[in-house]
DNA sequence: ATGTGTGCAAACAGTTTGCAAGCTT
DNA sequence: AAGCTTGCAAACTGTTTGCACACAT
């Protein structure tokens, strides 16, 4: 049976609809609390897990920072992080032939790539 | 004045000399505890911070997990994470030519790559 | 002897879980 | 009405800090 339509779930989904960037659990809680005052942080984590399970959201995990979440459905991509302003941008395309880097006997199933440098604004 | 030569520091440095992979604070504690039985986890964190400051260690930040540490000064390399046992291994070599993925106007200075799959043991 | 470094425990931040009560179906 | 979902608080993990004591110098 599908999950029930609760105001909490609705408020949480709405937060992601309005956001144009990946949100942390704390940020989701801050946004959704405006609509559902007694909203508990545990509910955020529970619903987040369900929405990922349903593939409504995906986790965005970047090195050195806690995970954020964004709407699922985007095609395979990587990110570019500006070391000056901290902004994170999508980059499309993908390096090929990563199998050649894989140690003998290991099974390669996927990869994550983060480019680092200066974004257009910070590069001047 | 330089840090004092304590058995704790020695045991922690030794753990990294023998390890051929990045270690988590917990792993460092497990290894160094064999030599220094009453070793406290707080000491691990304190010494880790000092060793990074001294550039004896560098932090290895992987997406979705707490930081690990390895000896500084290694040449450019990446990591492979086993999705079953969670182990992290070094891989040598590099995809190269990532400039083609960089957005127009951005300045590419570096990159981080994580391969994901099954390690030799978990692959069977 | 001096004062830094350590072990322990408490404090913190982020995340998960147990349980009684509430709300959707 | 039935039982999934929530809020609350406690439990857990990873990390930091305060403090008295130990030990390297």
């Amino acid at each position: 049976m599908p999950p029930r339509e609760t105001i909490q779930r609705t408020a949480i989904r709405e937060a992601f609809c309005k956001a144009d960037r990946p949100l942390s659990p704390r940020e989701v809680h801050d946004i959704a609390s405006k609509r559902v005052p007694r909203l508990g942080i545990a509910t955020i984590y529970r619903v987040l897990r369900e929405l990922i399970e349903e593939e409504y959201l995906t986790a965005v995990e970047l090195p050195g920072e806690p995970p954020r979440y964004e709407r699922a459905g985007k095609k395979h991509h990587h990110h570019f992080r500006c070391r000056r302003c901290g902004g994170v941008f999508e980059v499309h395309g993908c390096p090929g032939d990563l199998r050649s880097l894989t140690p003998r006997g290991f099974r390669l199933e996927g990869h994550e790539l983060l480019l680092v440098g200066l974004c257009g604004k910070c590069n001047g």
Side-chain angles (χ1 to χ4, degrees), chain A residues 4 8 11 17-18 23 28 33 36 43 67 71 75 102 123:
Chain A
R4 294 181 177 179
Q8 290 85 348
C17 288
K18 289 178 181 165
L23 301 176
V28 177
S33 287
V36 187
T43 297
R71 292 207 56 174
K75 64 176 186 175
T102 307
N123 194 20

Side-chain angles (χ1 to χ4, degrees), chain A residues 4-67:
Chain A
R4 294 181 177 179
E5 289 292 322
T6 65
I7 39 177
Q8 290 85 348
R9 263 180 91 85
T10 303
I12 290 170
R13 271 205 311 265
E14 229 174 70
F16 284 101
C17 288
K18 289 178 181 165
D20 58 336
R21 64 196 180 80
L23 301 176
S24 66
R26 172 69 109 90
E27 288 173 326
V28 177
H29 186 243
D30 289 345
I31 296 170
S33 287
K34 291 172 185 166
R35 237 168 216 266
V36 187
R38 313 197 60 65
L39 181 56
I41 187 69
T43 297
I44 300 295
Y45 285 100
R46 277 186 290 235
V47 173
L48 245 31
R49 207 184 311 141
E50 292 165 4
L51 292 176
I52 289 170
E53 187 69 21
E54 300 165 29
E55 296 185 332
Y56 180 88
L57 295 179
T58 56
V60 179
E61 300 187 329
L62 298 179
E65 29 180 303

Side-chain angles (χ1 to χ4, degrees), chain A residues 35-115:
Chain A
R35 237 168 216 266
V36 187
R38 313 197 60 65
L39 181 56
I41 187 69
T43 297
I44 300 295
Y45 285 100
R46 277 186 290 235
V47 173
L48 245 31
R49 207 184 311 141
E50 292 165 4
L51 292 176
I52 289 170
E53 187 69 21
E54 300 165 29
E55 296 185 332
Y56 180 88
L57 295 179
T58 56
V60 179
E61 300 187 329
L62 298 179
E65 29 180 303
R68 292 163 173 276
Y69 304 87
E70 67 182 9
R71 292 207 56 174
K74 304 193 174 195
K75 64 176 186 175
H76 181 73
H77 63 278
H78 297 294
H79 294 96
F80 185 110
R81 177 164 60 200
C82 177
R83 71 167 164 79
R84 182 170 300 170
C85 72
V88 173
F89 309 83
E90 285 185 19
V91 304
H92 302 92
C94 200
D97 84 338
L98 294 174
R99 268 163 299 179
S100 62
L101 306 183
T102 307
R104 161 170 276 119
F106 283 40
R107 181 201 198 91
L108 179 62
E109 296 177 333
H111 65 274
E112 298 174 41
L113 175 65
L114 176 67
L115 302 184

